[in-house]
């Protein structure tokens, strides 16, 4: 059974600093997703990583995928308060499964 | 692009009462549809998914049920709510044939069972 683990689960950082959120998954999966959730809101798709070595960037966020290591990272550059949210990674369970498995989420707080 | 509507957005129900949450999708045909629940604390749990009208797969045995009476309508129901049914219910859609395979989520329905 696929397990998706994120760390850290809580991250408090100052504006202007850099940090990386890690997402490990336990079985082979060729696609990896990152979502953002603001408090009380639904999930918004951030990045779709479709192959080994894929890198996507949007503003101060950059996501990458290493399928051999079963690891995805979400790197935050020069954080700003607007990035405060909970970030989830997700992967499809094996073999054509219709189950998208989510990590527990990383709650990011960016302090002025 | 597709739009996913959920209602009601918020509801408070007593234990033992029935439940019906509705999800409708616009802008696409024959999507795969999903119900997730997010309990306080954040994790997302897949409850049901559907690949077509009348086709429902359950991921978690519980007192909830789902139905798909029309191509773009997905309903989550319960005959008798439990306290543990409280949470944020999210409907999601996946467009078949889209290479990315990502799920798009509706705005959610927040249920409090008292």
């Amino acid at each position: 059974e696929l397990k998706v683990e994120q760390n850290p689960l809580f991250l408090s950082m100052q504006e202007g600093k850099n940090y990386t959120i890690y997402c490990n998954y336990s079985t082979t999966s060729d696609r990896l997703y990152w979502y953002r959730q603001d408090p009380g809101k639904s999930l918004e798709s951030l990045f779709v990583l479709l192959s080994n070595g894929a890198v996507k960037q949007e503003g101060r966020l950059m996501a990458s995928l290493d399928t051999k290591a079963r690891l995805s990272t979400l790197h935050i550059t020069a954080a700003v308060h607007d990035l405060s949210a909970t970030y989830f990674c997700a992967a499809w369970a094996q073999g054509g499964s219709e189950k998208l498995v989510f990590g527990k989420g990383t709650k990011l707080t960016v302090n002025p | 692009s597709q739009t996913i509507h959920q209602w009601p957005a918020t509801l408070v129900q007593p234990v033992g009462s029935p439940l019906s949450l509705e999800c409708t999708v616009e802008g696409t045909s024959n999507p795969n549809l999903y119900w997730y629940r997010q309990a306080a604390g954040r994790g997302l749990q897949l409850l049901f998914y559907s690949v077509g009208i009348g086709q429902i797969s359950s991921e978690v045995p519980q007192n909830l049920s789902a139905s798909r009476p029309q191509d773009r309508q997905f309903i989550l129901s319960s005959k008798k709510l439990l306290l543990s049914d409280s949470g944020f219910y999210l409907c999601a859609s996946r467009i078949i044939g889209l290479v990315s395979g990502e799920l798009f989520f509706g705005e959610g329905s927040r249920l409090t069972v008292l």
Side-chain angles (χ1 to χ4, degrees), chain B residues 56-102:
Chain B
I56 307 295
S57 296
S58 173
E59 285 292 317
V60 183
Q62 56 203 337
N63 67 318
L64 299 173
S65 63
S67 63
R68 187 169 176 177
Q70 300 180 43
D71 179 45
R72 290 174 286 180
Q73 185 184 29
F74 203 23
I75 297 171
L76 183 71
S77 304
S78 174
K79 292 182 180 178
K80 287 186 177 182
L81 285 169
L82 306 173
L83 284 174
S84 58
D85 290 325
S86 293
F88 191 39
Y89 288 81
L90 291 160
C91 178
S93 171
R94 182 168 78 88
I95 300 174
I96 303 305
L98 196 62
V99 172
S100 68
E102 68 194 293

Side-chain angles (χ1 to χ4, degrees), chain A residues 9-10 31 33 35 37 40-45 48 50 86 88 92 98-107, chain B residues 32 34 36 38 41-44 46 49 51 59 88 90 94 98-108 110:
Chain A
L9 297 183
F10 298 92
R31 290 175 288 181
Y33 306 88
Y35 288 85
Q37 186 179 37
K41 303 293 186 181
S42 184
L43 274 71
E44 172 190 359
S45 179
V48 178
L50 297 179
T86 299
F88 292 91
W92 289 103
E98 284 299 321
K99 185 172 183 176
L100 187 65
V101 179
F102 285 80
K104 291 185 177 181
T106 298
K107 185 174 182 179
Chain B
N32 284 4
Y34 308 80
Y36 279 85
Q38 187 176 34
R42 307 173 320 184
L44 282 98
L46 178 63
Y49 67 88
V51 299
E59 285 292 317
F88 191 39
L90 291 160
R94 182 168 78 88
L98 196 62
V99 172
S100 68
E102 68 194 293
L103 296 192
F104 296 93
F105 286 85
E107 309 96 334
R110 190 167 302 279

Side-chain angles (χ1 to χ4, degrees), chain A residues 7-47:
Chain A
N7 70 84
L9 297 183
F10 298 92
L11 176 57
S12 181
M13 55 192 299
Q14 285 189 314
E15 283 189 327
K17 299 293 186 183
N18 305 332
Y19 208 82
T20 300
I21 299 170
Y22 297 89
C23 174
N24 291 273
Y25 52 98
S26 60
T27 62
T28 301
S29 185
D30 58 353
R31 290 175 288 181
L32 194 290
Y33 306 88
W34 285 95
Y35 288 85
R36 169 179 171 146
Q37 186 179 37
D38 291 310
K41 303 293 186 181
S42 184
L43 274 71
E44 172 190 359
S45 179
L46 283 178
F47 298 110

Side-chain angles (χ1 to χ4, degrees), chain B residues 13-68:
Chain B
Q13 295 285 98
V15 170
S17 64
L19 172 73
S20 181
L21 301 179
E22 189 163 342
C23 169
T24 58
V25 180
E26 295 178 354
T28 188
S29 296
N30 196 31
N32 284 4
L33 297 174
Y34 308 80
W35 279 111
Y36 279 85
R37 178 171 63 196
Q38 187 176 34
R42 307 173 320 184
L44 282 98
Q45 179 186 34
L46 178 63
L47 301 176
F48 302 94
Y49 67 88
S50 171
V51 299
I53 296 173
Q55 300 180 63
I56 307 295
S57 296
S58 173
E59 285 292 317
V60 183
Q62 56 203 337
N63 67 318
L64 299 173
S65 63
S67 63
R68 187 169 176 177

